[in-house]
Amino acid sequence: MPELRFELDASLSSDFENHWQRLRILLEEPQLFAIQFVFSSNYELHSALLRRLQQTALSLAVDCLELPKTSSAELSDTGTSTAPSTAHQLAEAITRHCLARIFPAAPPHTRLLLLDLHQALPVALAALLAEPVDGERPAILHQALADSRALLLSRLNERRAQLSAFGPLLILLPEDWTKPAAEYAPDLWTQRLSSLYLPPPIPCAEGSPSSEPAQGVLPPEEAPRAAERNILARWQEALRSGQTQRLPVSDGWIAAETSAKLGNGQEAEDLAALCLRLAYERGSLREQMGSQNILGDMRLRRGRIEQAREAYTVALSIAQELVSKEPDNTERQRDLSVSYDKVADILRRSDPASALANYQASLNIRQDLARQEPDNTQWQRNLSVSYEKVADILRRSDPAAALDSCQASLKISQDLAQREPDNTEWQRDLSVSYEKVADILRPSDPAAAFANYEASLKIRQDLARREPDNTEWQRDLSVSYHKVADILRRSDPTAALDNYQASLSICLNLAQREPDNLELQTDQIISHVKIATLHPTVPTTEARAHLQAALQLARQLERAQLLTHDQAVWPDDIQRRLDALPSA
Amino acid sequence: MLTAKDLRDFQKVLRQSDHPLNVGDAFHVPNLHGDKQYDMIERLFREIESCDGSGLYYFTGQRGTGKSTELRRLETRLNGEGYRCIRFDALHYLNDTQPIDAHLLMLMVAAGVDDWLTEKYPEKDGGAESLLSRFQDWLKTKVELEKVDVSLGAGPGLPSTRLQFNLKPQQETLSSKIRGMSDRREFHESIIKFIAEMCQWLQKREQRRIVIVVDSLENLRGNPLAEQDQERIFGSVLDVFADHLALIRVPDVHMVYSVPPYLCFLANITPQVSWTPLASVRVCEKPEIARRKPREIGLAVMRDLLERRLPRWREVLSQEALDRLSLLSGGDLRQFIIRILTDVFYQAQFALERLPLAKDDSIIDEVAAACSREMERLTVRSEWPLLKTIANENNIVAENRSQIKILAHLLDTKVILNYRNGGEWYDLHPTLWATLDAYTSPAQST
């Protein structure tokens, strides 16, 4: 058996390494039965740990059975002749499937049994639910998820004597499943090794600023131009007077977006609704589609995700109808691809399997368009974006496929940048593509990831030099410094510190220009904490100063209720880190 | 001087500690739960010895207190004193998430005895062959239950016999078949008769009294997807072990059943049956003597437990540190060995320069804090008033039936620990003491 690697991987945070070292022990003696529970609400850390475990198991030739992995095609394994359609049937089906895999008729060769009841189970359940009833799917899946976890734990507890013929059993569960796990599988629970609790997704500890806006948050916007304000004024008047006869619906879309830019969310949604009413009155399918999309956008801005999804779904059905009427019209094809993307954007967190199907549909259309007009740079760029979106989803479930998709996007970005070297948009796209490839490579191949981050950084340094006043370029550069620092954190903490400081310095400059920019404030918090945790390179006094600065900002945002659900733990986390510092 | 590798090897020894022990095993600690009047196995043995007829004995305890190890000790004790002990695990035959009744239980006992005889006496004589064949034919005709080859897929801990009654997968069908019988009473009498005949054959052959020990029935619990299932399980446990004691006795045979610890909350069965609870190691004094005061005898037992596994433990931990960890475990053996000690030894490999770790070493603090955090996750706020009362009164009194379900879970998850020094008493897991001491229940605050 090859020697286990004990050295720490420099590419990831210490939290990752601490938890990985605990899991690694399971592979040291794969013939020994052991039960390890891992509780997590941290998707990234969870996925990275699993990937490392699978890779190490492979390199050590430890047979690893991963469950639940299933698809509609495997339904026959579950002993079901028809696809399950209720929560209870789904739970029974997935449990039968898993037990049949774990306890086959022949003696098991498996050593490591990896039961991901947190992230893999919902995907497997969605695959089993082949015939969803409209509107009921999320509710069924939600109930089926809880039932399946309970049933599987209970059945495994019942078969604990047989399980002891295996090697280690690793069970991954959501963070709040400690009590249910102990109650549904009391015997496995008393026999367990100490449970691992992955820290919540606090960017202070694990994350990095992203060069992309978070889901549901639109990118920073330019101030409305005079022409846009004029259009808005006309539509505001129309809203008041009801006089809409001569107004083009497409102007209404501009008015709604302008109103939203000015922070008038309710008015923007009212304007979008007005556009929709006019589009229906005028019988224009294209305007109906566009208005539904704008209405969805406005609702999304206000956090009304379900309502946004409704609008996007109607827009998608109209786009499909338009394509069926004019199958050769490339603009209609493009509209349809946009609609698929919008629906997928909404679903990507709640239902990644459906999101992937929608992104894939969009990608197929864009591949066709790019093939038809290879010189159309917009089609090429759209295709590149589609590859990236598909990669974003696959990154969690199938990193190899995600990397392929990202590299296809990178190839297009390189081609566009080569065709028009002075086009800064293409250059920026190229930097994003390098960064995304690096993000995927980071857990498995830190050296290659580093090379890609550096390539991205180089482009961004160049863009920032060309347009020093462009805040977007500057922020991108700050993100790049930060990501390079993350990679260097363990192997070269001094260089990491330089890069974090460069990143922070840009953030501070930008924050002076845009004191209300929330993203810049959260970036600062992350940078402060990362610098503070670079001890012993950073002395305690400096670490304290950074944590105090981070805490002050975090408390401000907390008071203003500007922290997201995930960020809500930041102030306490930072306080805890401050408290843990040795006293002066 | 210890190396990191030594500490990793120590962890492996600790991780492999979780299996029932036989008397004489290197890891076995005699008198773990106390000697003389506190030795529950000795007490149970004496009760069996003093009873000439068909004795009925309940043995219970929380998970991981060493019940299976102690039942093996009982077996050794009995076999050495002129008895023949037939011991088997009920969960080889029954599902722990399905209700049972007395008929099914005794059917399982008969199957267990048959399997035991088949394994121990492959060459039968004196009519045993025909007795077993008759029993097997009867089962086949009456309830279509047959022996199957279980050697495929069998693992450690499963009987080595190739043929075994395949009751488990058919439990639900069998139950409903029995329920539907018009001659249930006759059916039950037949089973008891078969068990008695098998035991008589063995008694005659070995010239010893027979004791049947049925292990693991304490694990009965509900189906997680059925809301009312826990109630059904409680109902069935009550029905079998409290209301129909006559149905689970066998003439001239001593029957020892390991039963759920919550049975004593469901019914007052102690006047009718011998009740032997196995508790956690008493690392603290009785509340009447001194509330939560460390008890030297208990701590010495925990030291012995580690000494037998790792004679070099003093190079890793000071005695004060080990005693602190023993107290932290509340005498829960599995938590002490598999989690607390394993964690400390894991972390110690990164602090070789600080060995042996002192009582107040940061590693000990961290392990204690992690234990507390997890234990808190095993409770919900609505349970805290009940926990507070248990902590104050060192006793459990269920106010209503629904509270028993909560108590059963709290005992299962070791949030509540059971102790015995003369009488039984309860306390919270020590990692919850500070939290619950600081908690004021709404009832108290008004």
Side-chain angles (χ1 to χ4, degrees), chain A residues 23 36-40 45-47 49-50 53 66-68 113-121 149 153 169-175 177 198:
Chain A
L23 290 186
Q36 176 75 67
F37 284 91
V38 178
F39 297 93
S40 159
L45 191 52
H46 171 119
S47 308
L49 277 171
L50 278 195
L53 193 71
E66 238 185 295
L67 289 169
L113 182 55
L114 205 160
L115 212 61
D116 185 359
L117 303 186
H118 186 198
Q119 306 293 1
L121 187 59
R149 283 182 184 133
L153 286 169
L169 165 63
L170 180 64
I171 302 177
L172 295 110
L173 284 162
E175 190 199 13
W177 262 69
L198 305 189

Side-chain angles (χ1 to χ4, degrees), chain A residues 22 158 187 192 194 197, chain B residues 63 97 334 339 343 374:
Chain A
R22 298 302 292 256
E158 216 163 52
D187 295 281
R192 77 200 187 280
S194 286
Y197 288 87
Chain B
R63 285 179 169 79
T97 51
R334 278 187 181 151
R339 290 184 287 281
D343 280 5
E374 180 158 85

Side-chain angles (χ1 to χ4, degrees), chain A residues 299-312:
Chain A
R299 287 171 170 173
L300 189 59
R301 275 174 187 270
R302 303 180 69 203
R304 301 174 63 203
I305 293 172
E306 271 311 300
Q307 290 82 352
R309 185 180 149 188
E310 272 175 30
Y312 288 145

